[in-house]
Amino acid sequence: MPGAARDQTMLRRANELTVLAVLRDGTPRVMRDIADQTGLSWRTASVVTESLEGHGWLAGTEADAGDKRLGRPARRYRFRAEAGHVAGIDIGAHAICVYLADLAGTIVGMHRVRVSPGEPAADRLAAAEATVQAALDAAQLGNADVWAAAVGTTGIVGLDGVVTKSAVLPGWTGVDLGGRMGALLGRPVTVANDSNLAVLAEHWRGHRADTMIYLLVGVRLGTGLVIRGQLHRGAAGAAGEIGEIGEIGWSDAAQRLAAAAPGHLADLDGAARHVFAAARHQDPAAVAAVDRFATDIARGLTAMVLTIDPDVVVLGGGFAYAADLLMPRIDQRLGETCPHSPRLATSRLGDEAVGLGAVRLALDTVEQRITGLSSGTPLTPAAISASA
Amino acid sequence: MPGAARDQTMLRRANELTVLAVLRDGTPRVMRDIADQTGLSWRTASVVTESLEGHGWLAGTEADAGDKRLGRPARRYRFRAEAGHVAGIDIGAHAICVYLADLAGTIVGMHRVRVSPGEPAADRLAAAEATVQAALDAAQLGNADVWAAAVGTTGIVGLDGVVTKSAVLPGWTGVDLGGRMGALLGRPVTVANDSNLAVLAEHWRGHRADTMIYLLVGVRLGTGLVIRGQLHRGAAGAAGEIGEIGEIGWSDAAQRLAAAAPGHLADLDGAARHVFAAARHQDPAAVAAVDRFATDIARGLTAMVLTIDPDVVVLGGGFAYAADLLMPRIDQRLGETCPHSPRLATSRLGDEAVGLGAVRLALDTVEQRITGLSSGTPLTPAAISASA
């Protein structure tokens, strides 16, 4: 390409991305506002906006009568979030949940099936595939409509999408989850640990702190990190695995908590609920068990807080309903050691955190493709869909 | 500003930054190479390059005869790294060291004075001021030539430049180092913990891993983190302070190592040197002391590695000469617990690490000013110098 033509192409791409960036907040705008907010001239903004409309990124509508000035209604342009979709897949011990979202992150479909914690790996995989298909069918979407997908699951997950280590799900260690889901959807699929996705979701739709630790508190203890606004998975996807230090006592902390329940209920969730309730009524044994549980959590959390000094620690997971009991105790323990204690907060997303985090990770993949597309390729929805 | 004129201004600034970015690697280039590497047309590249030369960012020189083609030597343009300077100041227990560098990071002056660890804070501050002045005088630079400066010191340092906690230097806790050095140089000065700056220097000029932990091993143990290419100081400058956990044993690890020396030498550095030497000759008590020291180090390091899963851990500080004894032991301990063990490496920068890291941090401040300058302000060296 000769120099001047190349300048034009680069400039055009930069202008297209600028207009898209302004309109992606979802607010429809008239041309004068697009020009103002992009800093482009009216003429340049018009050419770029009309081209984006032609490619299917934007939809133009005449403004309603109330906005009419000088007799002629001004045309408004909105981002077509429906131009593409992403899937967020949460494969857990008790349930598989698939979220479908448009490019604005609005959930357009959700499908959940219950599975048994003891389900063999092959059956769990087959159930996940069936759930994805059911979600697509219900939303009347095909595989080709899904531009990117991400999967969250329990255990340590390598950056290549293979489960490195799972202490919970039978046969799960070594499963190539990225490969399997990628084959189903016909494009690369990102896989991450459930706590990693939960922290991403909290950063997106919950507590928007720059640097935060998500603490999954339940039958298992786990953590995920957002550092300077980005999910931090580490060199091999093993960030946040402080529980690997045996002395910290995370592997059996929930068991020790549950042991304070009368008759040692086999169901850990039920036993823990009993202990938390008894502690609220000042039962001495239950209060002691909750104290010990909080101390166990704080032991690992203190090491993580001293390492990265986050703004916020968000407590989520199956025992989040007991945050009122746990947080003051954890806060006190942190304060005893840390020169700077982070703010403690409860998750705002409940059991949707992992699936929403997977949606966010998939949207990030789409963003990277949009901004990373070489300027020689036309910026069309089809080009982004195909650039996987 | 009307729309079209504003488009022109934004575009011009973008083009100026593109040309500067290409030439800042220090290689002089002819116009055809500048156009090729920026992707700009020959005509646009010429206009921008000549404007940058006029403002003093670039110097043009005729190519030497060997490069002559078609009879007329092509003019080459180089980045004028001498257009501005930065200062990196290391205020330690035993020495104060000031580095002056040009905009390419080339050290153009260095001045070091010895101080006593017991020196009162006021005397240490006065010595630091005198050292900065001596370095400037020797390099024939005035305060106005220093566009940005950074200071490294021992202890926890708040993001506001005040020393939050220093266990080593008398009277150092509470000192407003940023305010004091800022008053001397007439512009804001960034202050950080010494290990923070050492890791930044390693990332810049030593081991260039994306995510790394620097482990300061000496009479004190400390750490600094680079996460995804950037220094990570944390919400209150307290990142990397794992040694605050008393059970980890970092506060007196060097004392316990030194206690294995005969006669319990009062000089910890000398005693440690003796123990390391004896361990090399398989003295059982010395080997046991080195084992224990490595175990102490690994206890804290394991928690940090499990938190951020870095690519590399770099061992530096006063005992770095014993890395051959310490690294295999630390590596083994990490391997026992961590699902993914980072690569261990020895610092390449020795006792220059803190000062060079301060230079890098000051250069980062200049970079931010250059790219952050609003497009209404002319991109001149004077504008960058004044934008502090």
Side-chain angles (χ1 to χ4, degrees):
Chain A
M1 210 183 317
R6 198 177 42 200
D7 289 1
Q8 280 310 108
T9 313
M10 287 173 63
L11 179 58
R12 185 192 186 92
R13 172 58 46 84
N15 290 340
E16 287 172 337
L17 293 177
T18 307
V19 170
L20 270 186
V22 163
L23 286 166
R24 287 197 67 179
D25 70 359
T27 309
R29 286 178 176 80
V30 295
M31 194 58 73
R32 143 188 101 242
D33 291 340
I34 295 174
D36 272 359
Q37 287 171 39
T38 55
L40 296 172
S41 67
W42 204 91
R43 194 182 131 64
T44 304
S46 301
V47 171
V48 171
T49 300
E50 278 155 26
S51 155
L52 288 170
E53 184 183 10
H55 283 135
W57 288 113
L58 304 180
T61 49
E62 304 309 317
D64 56 357
D67 259 4
K68 202 181 283 189
R69 292 180 202 165
L70 303 172
R72 183 164 158 272
R75 193 169 169 78
R76 286 179 186 273
Y77 296 86
R78 69 166 181 87
F79 176 65
R80 287 188 66 242
E82 68 274 26
H85 293 84
V86 301
I89 305 163
D90 172 10
I91 306 183
H94 298 276
I96 291 165
C97 196
V98 175
Y99 291 84
L100 298 170
D102 66 17
L103 297 180
T106 304
I107 305 301
V108 299
M110 196 273 264
H111 203 80
R112 179 191 293 264
V113 296
R114 294 199 60 81
V115 287
S116 141
E119 198 101 22
D123 295 352
R124 191 178 304 273
L125 283 168
E129 288 174 340
T131 313
V132 170
Q133 200 52 61
L136 288 173
D137 292 347
Q140 294 185 288
L141 294 173
N143 284 7
D145 298 314
V146 178
W147 290 8
V151 180
T153 194
T154 171
I156 305 177
V157 182
L159 301 180
D160 58 357
V162 175
V163 178
T164 316
K165 179 177 176 178
S166 169
V168 179
L169 304 182
W172 210 236
T173 301
V175 166
D176 179 7
L177 213 44
R180 184 74 180 255
M181 289 303 172
L184 176 70
L185 289 168
R187 59 181 70 241
V189 168
T190 315
V191 187
N193 163 277
D194 49 6
S195 303
N196 283 335
L197 294 180
V199 75
L200 197 54
E202 286 294 342
H203 183 259
W204 182 31
R205 298 219 158 152
H207 304 275
R208 290 155 205 260
D210 194 44
T211 293
M212 62 198 282
I213 297 174
Y214 177 90
L215 190 63
L216 178 91
V217 180
V219 169
R220 292 180 305 112
L221 295 174
T223 76
L225 280 76
V226 158
I227 299 181
R228 289 197 310 274
Q230 282 187 48
L231 174 63
H232 182 77
R233 299 186 60 191
E241 296 295 340
I242 197 78
E244 294 289 313
I245 300 178
E247 295 90 321
I248 284 181
W250 278 21
S251 61
D252 56 356
Q255 276 82 347
R256 274 178 284 136
L257 174 76
H264 299 288
L265 297 176
D267 163 28
L268 281 181
D269 274 307
R273 194 169 287 275
H274 184 99
V275 176
F276 287 126
R280 285 207 175 83
H281 292 94
Q282 313 302 333
D283 174 83
V287 168
V290 170
D291 278 345
R292 196 176 47 220
F293 188 58
T295 303
D296 286 343
I297 292 171
R299 201 176 297 118
L301 187 58
T302 297
M304 296 187 68
V305 166
L306 288 171
T307 301
I308 67 160
D309 186 14
D311 302 294
V312 177
V313 172
V314 176
L315 192 149
F319 296 174
Y321 64 85
D324 61 313
L325 291 170
L326 294 170
M327 291 213 303
R329 290 169 162 86
I330 293 171
D331 193 37
Q332 192 194 330
R333 304 289 186 288
L334 288 180
E336 286 162 8
T337 307
C338 302
H340 171 249
S341 276
R343 188 161 63 80
L344 297 187
T346 316
S347 167
R348 295 184 178 152
L349 303 173
D351 61 4
E352 299 206 297
V354 178
L356 290 179
V359 166
R360 183 63 256 172
L361 195 58
L363 287 171
D364 289 347
T365 305
V366 173
E367 296 292 334
Q368 284 159 16
R369 283 193 220 144
I370 289 177
T371 54
L373 201 67
S374 82
S375 60
T377 311
L379 181 70
T380 63
I384 300 304
S385 168
S387 64
Chain B
M1 205 182 322
R6 198 177 42 199
D7 289 0
Q8 281 308 110
T9 314
M10 286 173 63
L11 179 59
R12 186 193 185 90
R13 172 58 46 85
N15 289 340
E16 286 172 337
L17 293 178
T18 307
V19 171
L20 271 187
V22 163
L23 286 165
R24 286 197 68 180
D25 70 0
T27 310
R29 285 178 177 80
V30 296
M31 195 58 73
R32 138 187 106 242
D33 291 340
I34 295 174
D36 272 0
Q37 288 170 38
T38 54
L40 296 171
S41 66
W42 204 91
R43 194 181 131 64
T44 305
S46 300
V47 170
V48 172
T49 301
E50 277 155 27
S51 157
L52 289 170
E53 183 182 11
H55 284 135
W57 288 113
L58 304 180
T61 49
E62 304 309 318
D64 55 359
D67 260 2
K68 201 181 286 188
R69 294 182 200 165
L70 303 172
R72 185 163 157 274
R75 192 168 168 79
R76 283 179 188 274
Y77 296 86
R78 70 167 181 86
F79 176 66
R80 288 187 66 241
E82 68 274 25
H85 293 85
V86 301
I89 305 163
D90 172 10
I91 307 183
H94 298 275
I96 291 165
C97 195
V98 176
Y99 292 83
L100 298 170
D102 65 18
L103 297 181
T106 304
I107 304 301
V108 299
M110 196 274 263
H111 202 81
R112 180 191 290 266
V113 296
R114 293 198 62 82
V115 286
S116 142
E119 199 100 20
D123 294 355
R124 192 178 304 273
L125 283 169
E129 289 174 339
T131 313
V132 170
Q133 199 54 61
L136 288 173
D137 292 348
Q140 296 184 289
L141 295 173
N143 284 6
D145 299 314
V146 178
W147 290 7
V151 180
T153 194
T154 172
I156 305 176
V157 182
L159 301 180
D160 58 356
V162 175
V163 179
T164 316
K165 179 175 174 180
S166 170
V168 180
L169 304 182
W172 210 235
T173 301
V175 165
D176 179 7
L177 211 44
R180 184 73 179 257
M181 289 314 207
L184 175 69
L185 288 167
R187 61 182 68 238
V189 167
T190 316
V191 187
N193 164 276
D194 49 6
S195 302
N196 282 336
L197 294 180
V199 76
L200 197 55
E202 287 293 342
H203 183 259
W204 181 31
R205 299 218 157 154
H207 303 275
R208 289 155 206 260
D210 193 45
T211 294
M212 62 198 282
I213 297 174
Y214 177 90
L215 190 63
L216 179 91
V217 180
V219 170
R220 291 181 305 114
L221 295 173
T223 76
L225 280 77
V226 159
I227 298 181
R228 291 197 309 274
Q230 283 188 48
L231 175 63
H232 182 76
R233 299 185 62 190
E241 296 294 341
I242 197 77
E244 294 289 313
I245 300 178
E247 296 89 321
I248 283 181
W250 278 23
S251 62
D252 55 356
Q255 276 83 346
R256 275 179 283 135
L257 174 76
H264 298 287
L265 297 175
D267 164 28
L268 281 181
D269 275 307
R273 193 169 288 276
H274 184 98
V275 176
F276 286 126
R280 286 207 175 82
H281 290 95
Q282 314 301 334
D283 174 82
V287 168
V290 171
D291 278 345
R292 194 174 51 220
F293 187 58
T295 302
D296 286 343
I297 292 172
R299 200 175 298 119
L301 187 58
T302 296
M304 296 186 68
V305 165
L306 288 171
T307 302
I308 67 159
D309 186 14
D311 302 294
V312 178
V313 173
V314 176
L315 191 150
F319 296 174
Y321 64 85
D324 62 312
L325 292 170
L326 294 171
M327 290 213 303
R329 290 170 162 87
I330 294 171
D331 192 37
Q332 193 194 329
R333 304 290 186 285
L334 288 181
E336 286 161 9
T337 306
C338 302
H340 171 248
S341 275
R343 189 161 62 80
L344 297 186
T346 317
S347 166
R348 294 183 178 152
L349 302 173
D351 61 3
E352 299 205 297
V354 179
L356 290 179
V359 165
R360 182 63 257 172
L361 195 59
L363 287 171
D364 289 347
T365 305
V366 172
E367 297 292 335
Q368 285 159 14
R369 283 194 220 143
I370 289 177
T371 53
L373 202 66
S374 81
S375 60
T377 312
L379 181 70
T380 62
I384 300 304
S385 168
S387 63

